[in-house]
Amino acid sequence: MAINLEEPKKFKPLVGQAHQVAMNMLRPISRKYDRAEHEYPKELDMLAAMIDGLSESGAGEGAGAAGVRRDEKKDDGGVKNGANLASVLSIAEMCWGDVGLLLSMPRQGLGNSAIASVADDEQLQRFEGVWAGMAITEPGTGSDSANIKTTAVLDGDEYVINGEKIYVTSGDRADHIVVWATLDRDLGRAAIKSFVVAKGTPGMRVERLEHKLGIRASDTAAIIFENCRVPKENLLGSPEIDTKQGFAGAMATFDNTRPLVASMAVGCARASLDLTRDLLKQAGIEVDYDRPAHLQSAAAAKFLQMESDWEGAYLLMLQAAWMADNRQPNSLEASMAKAKAGRVGSDITLSCVELAGSIGYSETELLEKWARDSKILDIFEGTQQIQQLIIARRVLGLSSAELK
């Protein structure tokens, strides 16, 4: 099957709507909630209700958190442009408006992607409509998801969860948290499963909210679990420990979320490029796409180089999402998209601050904010270094034990 690199016609209305929302609803309140850290953006409730309405009417493909379903058969009807592609395109547009506000959207959390990717049919129906954050990172584990210390012990019809999670996006606002925990530390990564824990469950408490460099509109929480009892039906997917499979089921979540994070970086970088081009034009510097870079000013040449880097990230993002829609294994491509977009997004936004000089560094424009916001997109959901390690393993055909 061949991928078409043009934006699918059927998604143009969705992308257009997302751009209008970004421009008319997110941009106007962007600075407000950057300054009012931890204050809930109440304007998002109306937006979330609108997205829910689109989804219910069938017009909102891509409005919600899509999943990579490994157990579904490929559609014999040929090439498919589905929910994953629609999601990355619409999220990129929304992040052209504001990354932190996009991450604060009710019922659009990263935990929703985990549920969509790993849950069985009964769980998909039971957890429909929830707002789920995702709790993976722990003190001392960093990007090594296989080294999780949080435990889940079966006791009758419930799992008892104990541990501490940090940097949980929407950890305070979401009504459910998808928690990664191990059933048996001695069995290593194969015993790691994900559990859906409802907010208010005894034994679960939000310990603190983090103060951050960027995405300040989004709440980031540390959560403690002390003898937190969860129904055994809330373990996502199979409770069986398959030492051959490892924790591929839980990790399948990342095959979905990494292209989404790539799309956030693509959208934020696009915003910076668009504004910087306008500022350069006001300063009398025209970027000519028909002339070689070396025949133009240094600022225009730099801008052209950033545009080409952005294009590479954009195309890798499309490829990873398209492969997910067509049920093709996309772990390598998802990591490539995340690595490229994360680094490029941070480079572009900071370079735009530099090109715009004092205007870029001040709060006169949003350039400095976008530079702060974009940095996290190269860190969470697996750092730049972890992505490069995953890519190397895939390309060389080596296991994690063989290439650390």
Side-chain angles (χ1 to χ4, degrees):
M1 289 190 290
I3 179 174
N4 187 332
L5 298 178
E6 297 296 323
E7 183 181 291
K9 288 183 180 178
K10 73 172 182 175
F11 295 151
K12 285 188 183 296
L14 172 69
V15 171
Q17 287 172 346
H19 186 79
Q20 290 300 315
V21 166
M23 183 167 57
N24 298 316
M25 297 184 73
L26 301 187
R27 282 276 180 98
I29 61 173
S30 184
R31 183 67 72 186
K32 171 185 175 182
Y33 288 105
D34 181 54
R35 289 172 174 156
E37 189 172 16
H38 301 154
E39 181 181 328
Y40 176 66
K42 58 185 181 298
E43 292 90 343
L44 295 181
D45 287 335
M46 181 177 69
L47 181 55
M50 187 172 73
I51 290 175
D52 288 344
L54 284 172
S55 297
E56 288 170 13
S57 69
E61 183 171 23
V68 178
R69 306 289 298 172
R70 293 171 181 266
D71 54 350
E72 289 184 18
K73 295 180 180 178
K74 291 181 182 178
D75 185 355
D76 293 332
V79 176
K80 177 184 178 185
N81 293 322
N84 287 281
L85 193 58
S87 289
V88 296
L89 289 170
S90 58
I91 284 173
E93 289 297 337
M94 296 282 275
C95 289
W96 183 89
D98 191 277
V99 177
L101 292 171
L102 180 279
L103 287 168
S104 302
M105 286 288 297
R107 296 178 294 285
Q108 308 294 317
L110 293 172
N112 290 92
S113 292
I115 293 171
S117 296
V118 185
D120 59 32
D121 291 340
E122 183 275 330
Q123 291 170 329
L124 283 174
Q125 187 172 9
R126 180 153 50 95
F127 295 125
E128 184 179 3
V130 304
W131 180 4
M134 189 154 66
I136 302 176
T137 308
E138 300 177 357
T141 61
S143 294
D144 186 7
S145 300
N147 198 31
I148 282 171
K149 301 291 193 298
T150 297
T151 58
V153 178
L154 186 61
D155 181 22
D157 291 333
E158 297 174 315
Y159 282 99
V160 182
I161 299 177
N162 282 282
E164 179 181 358
K165 296 292 183 179
I166 57 175
Y167 303 133
V168 183
T169 301
S170 299
D172 188 41
R173 297 170 186 164
D175 48 54
H176 288 69
I177 301 294
V178 174
V179 183
W180 285 32
T182 178
L183 300 182
D184 188 337
R185 284 186 185 174
D186 294 334
L187 292 179
R189 63 180 60 205
I192 293 173
K193 302 290 181 179
S194 47
F195 302 80
V196 181
V197 184
K199 187 64 66 67
T201 301
M204 170 187 175
R205 73 174 188 274
V206 173
E207 186 71 4
R208 68 179 182 277
L209 297 179
E210 306 290 354
H211 294 282
K212 307 186 297 296
L213 173 72
I215 59 165
R216 291 178 180 172
S218 170
D219 67 312
T220 305
I223 302 178
I224 305 292
F225 297 88
E226 290 179 334
N227 296 322
C228 181
R229 304 184 74 89
V230 180
K232 67 179 183 180
E233 295 81 17
N234 284 23
L235 183 153
L236 291 177
S238 170
E240 300 301 318
I241 299 175
D242 185 348
T243 53
K244 292 181 181 178
Q245 185 192 30
F247 66 148
M251 290 299 288
T253 301
F254 287 128
D255 297 344
N256 173 4
T257 59
R258 282 172 177 158
L260 296 181
V261 175
S263 74
M264 295 175 197
V266 163
C268 189
R270 185 73 258 164
S272 293
L273 287 170
D274 289 348
L275 178 54
T276 301
R277 186 176 55 242
D278 291 343
L279 291 173
L280 289 175
K281 187 175 181 179
Q282 291 171 27
I285 300 170
E286 288 280 357
V287 179
D288 189 343
Y289 294 92
D290 295 323
R291 291 171 63 214
H294 70 275
L295 296 179
Q296 300 188 55
S297 68
K302 175 66 176 177
F303 191 88
L304 287 170
Q305 174 247 310
M306 291 193 294
E307 283 274 18
S308 65
D309 280 345
W310 181 88
E311 190 77 18
Y314 174 77
L315 294 176
L316 284 168
M317 172 199 80
L318 289 185
Q319 181 189 32
W322 181 88
M323 290 177 72
D325 283 334
N326 287 278
R327 307 296 171 230
Q328 295 182 13
N330 75 331
S331 294
L332 170 63
E333 290 77 12
S335 284
M336 289 171 67
K338 166 66 165 74
K340 176 71 172 178
R343 187 183 72 247
V344 162
S346 197
D347 287 348
I348 286 175
T349 53
L350 206 53
S351 293
C352 286
V353 167
E354 186 179 332
L355 282 178
S358 59
I359 294 176
Y361 198 70
S362 72
E363 290 189 357
T364 307
E365 300 286 356
L366 289 168
L367 285 171
E368 59 81 28
K369 179 183 181 301
W370 294 332
R372 289 187 286 109
D373 288 347
S374 66
K375 189 59 198 173
I376 191 59
L377 304 175
D378 199 25
I379 298 173
F380 71 4
E381 297 294 292
T383 63
Q384 176 69 216
Q385 293 76 16
I386 287 295
Q387 302 310 326
Q388 292 187 22
L389 193 57
I390 293 169
I391 292 165
R393 288 171 184 163
R394 295 280 179 177
V395 171
L396 298 173
L398 299 176
S399 68
S400 57
E402 293 169 322
L403 183 61
K404 293 185 178 180

